[in-house]
Amino acid sequence: MSLDAMVKPEEESSCRTSSRSIVSSNEDLMVNILSRLPVKVLSRFKCVSKQWNMLTSDPYFISAHHGRATQEPNIMKLLSVTRAGLISVCSIEEKEERKVTHDLIRPNYPDGILQKYKSVYMVGVPCNGLICLECVYHEGWRAILVCNPATRDTIVIPRGKKREYDYLELGLGFCSSSNEFKVVRFYEMEEGYGFELFTVGQRGARGTHSLKPLQSWRHVGYLPYQICYQSGRMCHVNEKMHWIISPLSDSSSEYVLTLDLELEEFKVVSLPEDARLDFVVDLIDLGGQLCLVLAIRDGSNWLELWVLKDYPNSIWSKEYQIHVNISENPDLDSLKVIGIRRRRRLLLFIDNSTFCYYDPKNNSLEMIMEEYPGSLYVENLVIPF
């Protein structure tokens, strides 16, 4: 064997050792590399060393990882929940072949909790990687859970004090200034609605129990309005919760009610003055902005999408007008806008069966799937307790 042949393996081994040393000693480089990996892989990497476990639990890393996942241009994830409590995540690779994969996840529910329920439902849409679940007991009682589908961690939210009125709706929001998720619920009264908040906690963002929040529901106010249920459910955008409301004294006038999750204060926003408010279909998160979806019914149905540009001054801008021949007799009640993707294409589903892209430039539809698989979802490492 030649001298060169004997030396080469030693050189390669030395090079690999040097590379590992560079990576392990350079935390910024490790964050850059590891933040590009999916949560499933990172969960296994936590067992590699204490350094990697601490790194992937650090709030800066969690934020960096979630930021990259949010901006991932080639993979779209959609999530739905079965009545049995299983979570289905559909991943669509947005390339020429458009590969579709399905993962069925069973969260780490507390022991015996599923045996007590008749069914499990997802409340609202995913929020920063977490979802809110409502479980219905066989006897009719209900319980609330917050779950991270990627890590499978769950937390049961206490029912709180028994009140004279039934709770009508739940929603999950996020406050970045305190790294806290907050569950919002409200109940109807003769004089309007009462609202309560439950702070889920900071452990997932900080990896410690030292900042454990008050584990109880807190009353945040009464409002003399009525919720317009025909105009969709509560919507979380820009760390605020939103509803379409109308005054108790005038049900024909509608507004947007906003709950700031940081200040825990309410504000009423006027709807766009120039919009034809024939029928408010929904409030949605459209690329990080609050969007009002209106159905215009004048014989040739279409949808208008108005985006709120300025909260304090209630300034809206009409960004999209969807008028496409979906069928011979299009029914706008069965057409829903669920988000926006790169190149400003809108995500729609029609008749709860066809999932497609709408391209506003040429007013065309491109079918993605024949079955609508759920809500837009971006995974996160945060642990909900």
Side-chain angles (χ1 to χ4, degrees):
M1 181 181 294
S2 67
L3 181 61
D4 291 342
M6 295 175 62
V7 172
K8 188 175 181 180
E10 295 180 1
E11 291 178 346
E12 290 179 350
S13 176
S14 175
C15 181
R16 287 195 295 268
T17 302
S18 178
S19 298
R20 287 195 294 267
S21 299
I22 292 173
V23 172
S24 61
S25 63
N26 190 328
E27 190 168 290
D28 289 340
L29 181 58
M30 290 183 66
V31 169
N32 197 328
I33 295 172
L34 297 179
S35 63
R36 302 172 187 272
L37 300 177
V39 171
K40 185 183 295 186
V41 175
L42 290 173
S43 297
R44 295 198 295 266
F45 282 6
K46 286 178 176 289
C47 302
V48 172
S49 67
K50 291 182 178 180
Q51 181 188 13
W52 281 27
N53 183 36
M54 291 177 60
L55 175 64
T56 54
S57 301
D58 184 84
Y60 174 77
F61 180 84
I62 292 175
S63 177
H65 180 271
H66 185 66
R68 287 191 184 278
T70 303
Q71 297 174 9
E72 169 58 55
N74 296 318
I75 297 180
M76 175 171 56
K77 293 180 180 288
L78 299 111
L79 178 146
S80 60
V81 178
T82 70
R83 294 187 64 181
L86 298 177
I87 299 174
S88 174
V89 177
C90 173
S91 300
I92 305 172
E93 292 187 14
E94 298 190 83
K95 298 179 180 179
E96 292 183 2
E97 298 182 357
R98 188 164 286 158
K99 181 181 177 182
V100 178
T101 58
H102 292 270
D103 289 323
L104 199 59
I105 300 168
R106 187 186 188 281
N108 297 323
Y109 292 112
D111 292 339
I113 196 168
L114 287 183
Q115 284 71 31
K116 300 178 181 179
Y117 300 115
K118 179 172 60 177
S119 54
V120 179
Y121 301 94
M122 182 171 70
V123 181
V125 297
C127 175
N128 283 33
L130 299 190
I131 61 174
C132 187
L133 301 173
E134 186 175 31
C135 305
V136 181
Y137 283 102
H138 288 281
E139 296 82 6
W141 293 98
R142 297 176 182 271
I144 307 167
L145 288 81
V146 173
C147 170
N148 184 332
T151 65
R152 305 191 180 197
D153 294 295
T154 61
I155 180 174
V156 179
I157 305 299
R159 292 176 56 194
K161 296 179 179 179
K162 185 177 180 181
R163 297 189 180 276
E164 180 181 353
Y165 305 95
D166 293 331
Y167 298 107
L168 300 178
E169 192 176 353
L170 298 166
L172 181 65
F174 178 71
C175 179
S176 63
S177 62
S178 57
N179 281 320
E180 293 174 336
F181 289 83
K182 297 184 180 183
V183 180
V184 183
R185 70 182 181 187
F186 64 87
Y187 49 94
E188 189 173 13
M189 308 173 63
E190 293 182 1
E191 61 271 27
Y193 291 93
F195 287 79
E196 290 183 325
L197 286 177
F198 184 93
T199 300
V200 176
Q202 299 175 323
R203 182 183 186 277
R206 299 179 181 272
T208 175
H209 286 289
S210 62
L211 294 175
K212 187 176 181 180
L214 180 66
Q215 296 292 305
S216 63
W217 289 93
R218 294 176 290 106
H219 176 75
V220 292
Y222 295 103
L223 294 170
Y225 299 101
Q226 54 188 344
I227 305 295
C228 301
Y229 287 107
Q230 70 274 17
S231 302
R233 298 291 179 172
M234 69 174 71
C235 174
H236 172 259
V237 187
N238 292 325
E239 306 183 18
K240 300 177 179 66
M241 306 300 290
H242 306 82
W243 301 263
I244 295 290
I245 59 168
S246 61
L248 294 175
S249 58
D250 183 9
S251 59
S252 63
S253 299
E254 294 181 345
Y255 302 88
V256 174
L257 176 66
T258 297
L259 172 59
D260 188 311
L261 293 177
E262 179 182 7
L263 302 177
E264 298 187 359
E265 295 178 351
F266 291 95
K267 177 180 174 59
V268 175
V269 177
S270 299
L271 294 181
E273 295 181 0
D274 298 332
R276 294 175 51 186
L277 304 177
D278 296 37
F279 187 72
V280 178
V281 176
D282 212 352
L283 286 174
I284 64 170
D285 179 350
L286 194 66
Q289 295 179 301
L290 180 66
C291 178
L292 176 69
V293 183
L294 303 177
I296 310 300
R297 303 179 184 278
D298 62 354
S300 56
N301 295 354
W302 72 82
L303 292 181
E304 287 186 354
L305 276 61
W306 291 76
V307 172
L308 181 59
K309 298 291 187 178
D310 186 338
Y311 274 90
N313 298 305
S314 301
I315 297 178
W316 298 78
S317 172
K318 185 168 69 172
E319 299 288 303
Y320 299 96
Q321 184 168 293
I322 303 176
H323 187 193
V324 62
N325 292 325
I326 299 168
S327 63
E328 293 182 0
N329 297 300
D331 181 2
L332 294 182
D333 293 338
S334 65
L335 172 61
K336 185 175 178 63
V337 183
I338 64 169
I340 190 170
R341 290 291 285 174
R342 57 179 180 158
R343 296 195 296 273
R344 308 298 293 174
R345 295 185 299 174
L346 298 174
L347 290 167
L348 313 176
F349 79 85
I350 306 163
D351 295 326
N352 291 326
S353 59
T354 305
F355 180 58
C356 60
Y357 274 129
Y358 171 74
D359 190 342
K361 290 185 177 179
N362 54 25
N363 195 41
S364 63
L365 285 173
E366 174 191 358
M367 189 181 73
I368 299 176
M369 300 181 67
E370 293 184 358
E371 181 179 357
Y372 173 62
S375 302
L376 283 174
Y377 166 69
V378 179
E379 63 181 14
N380 198 335
L381 281 163
V382 67
I383 300 175
F385 50 80

